[in-house]
Amino acid sequence: MPVSGATIFINGTTKYCISNDSGKFKIENVKDERFEIVCTLKGYTTLNYLYKKAPKNYAVRFEINPIQNIVGIVIGNGREYLEKTFLNSLLGIVEARNCEVANMNALTFLKPKSVNEIHVSLTEPLIIFNEHLGYMIHVAFNDISITNIQDQQNEMFTWFKPLTSKSSDKIDKWQKAREEVYENSLLRFMRAVYADNLMQRGFQTRFITRIYSNDSAYNHTGVLMKKTNTMLSDAGIIFPDTNRRYIDLLDKKPIPTSNYRIDEEGNEISIQLNNQILQVIRLENANEYSDYKMLPVKEKFNAFYLSTIDNQKIFIEPSGAFYNASDLLVSRLWSHRSLGSKLPVDWIPGVF
């Protein structure tokens, strides 16, 4: 039976449409060859489909199913505490202050009896107004698990709708905020990797190699650091491994993108970190600092870290969208949880 009124969108962008009375929909001007299309409707499960190599004309059919009845429970300090904690985790603690959720009652909290985690479900897409960046964000997911009220897993889908205003001052404020966020964003980094102009855009990257205690080099750290021109790193705080002993060694010199950027067939670009952690630092003049010890303390502190699960490849589109996002581990402001500081991947600097 055709379903009207469903929202269909390209994940992470501003592109969307609403299904008509016949259940049909059309989205035009999708430039990336690899993209994810998502279907949401209140009371139904969220569905998604990833096009890995979309033809010029393509079609997708969604068969959506009603959400089963979910009974939420109040846990610990109560629902209000869980709502605040979840939004801080989703949006970022600072960013959450500039955001307002229009339908908080769409959230359902569940806690399994056997594991120390809380499951969050939605009865309808979450509508968030980000007043700082000037977007309404449509957030959809079927189930998210939060372990120790911090880590989020499973798929989440977003669609951005720019807010409007008759005030030119407010529009200028939104544009300025977007430009500032973009400068240090994962989106800008991914676009720079795709274009292979990382240094020109002010980024430096270094590998962090993790040496485990069962490796013979573990007991000869000093010799290894001299041989590889590395230094001890505190990346274990960022991506800890509580099951084994290890040390992390950071490259003193920045590395070229050729160490992890791969030109795939058909003009596709991917990154593969070879079981290492990638440290990313954003600098105004990246060429001025050829050694990590030369970097200002502020830049060292604000470094970002990327790692992948099981050394999986991450494919990058010209827009800066990347797949498979669930295999990429990201720290600090680039975290998947900092939705309040994210821009749609079809955002263009200088264009409002």
Side-chain angles (χ1 to χ4, degrees):
M1 178 179 177
V3 176
S4 63
T7 300
I8 298 93
F9 59 90
I10 306 301
N11 190 29
T13 74
T14 60
K15 297 186 180 298
Y16 82 104
C17 67
I18 306 296
S19 62
N20 61 22
D21 292 340
S22 301
K24 295 182 179 180
F25 59 89
K26 185 177 183 180
I27 300 178
E28 299 180 307
N29 300 319
V30 180
K31 296 181 180 179
D32 285 346
E33 291 191 350
R34 186 186 293 256
F35 61 89
E36 194 166 28
I37 187 168
V38 185
C39 177
T40 65
L41 181 63
K42 180 178 180 179
Y44 289 82
T45 57
T46 296
L47 297 179
N48 65 296
Y49 183 81
L50 176 63
Y51 275 103
K52 295 184 179 180
K53 190 75 173 179
K56 292 183 179 180
N57 296 306
Y58 48 88
V60 62
R61 178 179 178 178
F62 290 110
E63 295 185 2
I64 56 179
N65 299 309
I67 297 174
Q68 296 181 354
N69 291 330
I70 301 175
V71 180
I73 57 175
V74 177
I75 310 162
N77 295 329
R79 182 180 172 90
E80 184 177 348
Y81 167 79
L82 291 175
E83 289 177 353
K84 181 179 179 180
T85 305
F86 171 73
L87 291 179
N88 285 343
S89 180
L90 174 68
L91 300 169
I93 295 175
V94 175
E95 292 79 5
R97 300 170 190 169
N98 298 313
C99 298
E100 182 178 347
V101 180
N103 56 338
M104 194 73 80
N105 60 347
L107 288 169
T108 300
F109 297 95
L110 299 171
K111 183 177 181 181
K113 296 180 180 180
S114 58
V115 293
N116 184 28
E117 63 182 14
I118 297 170
H119 286 278
V120 185
S121 298
L122 289 175
T123 57
E124 63 179 328
L126 207 60
I127 305 301
I128 302 173
F129 289 90
N130 186 337
E131 186 57 38
H132 179 59
L133 297 179
Y135 286 108
M136 183 201 79
I137 312 174
H138 179 114
V139 182
F141 55 83
N142 290 319
D143 179 61
I144 284 182
S145 63
I146 307 177
T147 306
N148 296 326
I149 320 293
Q150 288 183 359
D151 300 320
Q152 296 183 4
Q153 300 172 341
N154 300 337
E155 292 180 302
M156 180 181 298
F157 311 102
T158 55
W159 156 61
F160 296 77
K161 184 176 181 178
L163 299 179
T164 58
S165 176
K166 294 181 180 180
S167 170
S168 59
D169 289 342
K170 180 167 284 191
I171 291 174
D172 291 342
K173 181 181 177 181
W174 285 337
Q175 183 65 6
K176 182 179 179 180
R178 294 173 189 176
E179 297 277 357
E180 290 176 352
V181 165
Y182 180 66
E183 281 299 306
N184 296 310
S185 67
L186 179 59
L187 175 62
R188 189 169 185 267
F189 172 77
M190 288 297 186
R191 288 177 176 178
V193 172
Y194 185 91
D196 201 13
N197 59 1
L198 210 65
M199 192 71 77
Q200 294 91 319
R201 296 199 187 187
F203 289 104
Q204 279 191 7
T205 54
R206 291 172 173 79
F207 268 143
I208 295 173
T209 304
R210 180 158 291 180
I211 310 296
Y212 285 96
S213 58
N214 60 349
D215 191 313
S216 59
Y218 182 85
N219 295 317
H220 306 281
T221 304
V223 175
L224 182 61
M225 287 193 293
K226 289 182 180 180
K227 183 178 180 180
T228 58
N229 196 24
T230 57
M231 57 189 292
L232 290 174
S233 167
D234 61 355
I237 301 174
I238 308 299
F239 297 123
D241 185 341
T242 58
N243 296 319
R244 292 186 287 174
R245 294 175 59 192
Y246 59 87
I247 56 172
D248 288 327
L249 301 183
L250 168 68
D251 291 328
K252 291 182 180 179
K253 302 289 184 181
I255 59 173
T257 53
S258 59
N259 285 33
Y260 51 86
R261 181 184 183 274
I262 303 171
D263 286 291
E264 305 281 352
E265 294 183 5
N267 296 320
E268 279 197 315
I269 300 297
S270 70
I271 59 175
Q272 191 167 32
L273 303 183
N274 302 313
N275 294 313
Q276 293 172 295
I277 299 169
L278 187 69
Q279 183 196 69
V280 184
I281 292 179
R282 168 81 174 95
L283 298 160
E284 290 296 328
N285 299 298
N287 288 308
E288 293 183 4
Y289 303 97
S290 59
D291 192 289
Y292 187 77
K293 292 182 178 180
M294 299 169 57
L295 292 174
V297 174
K298 179 181 178 182
E299 274 68 18
K300 292 180 182 180
F301 179 78
N302 291 328
F304 306 98
Y305 298 85
L306 307 180
S307 182
T308 54
I309 298 174
D310 296 330
N311 199 33
Q312 292 294 317
K313 286 184 178 180
I314 305 298
F315 292 89
I316 309 173
E317 291 296 315
S319 68
F322 58 92
Y323 310 90
N324 307 301
S326 60
D327 290 323
L328 183 66
L329 304 177
V330 191
S331 77
R332 303 276 173 87
L333 291 178
W334 285 0
S335 168
H336 299 303
R337 300 190 297 270
S338 300
L339 182 60
S341 61
K342 283 190 169 51
L343 296 167
V345 297
D346 52 350
W347 182 80
I348 301 174
V351 178
F352 189 82

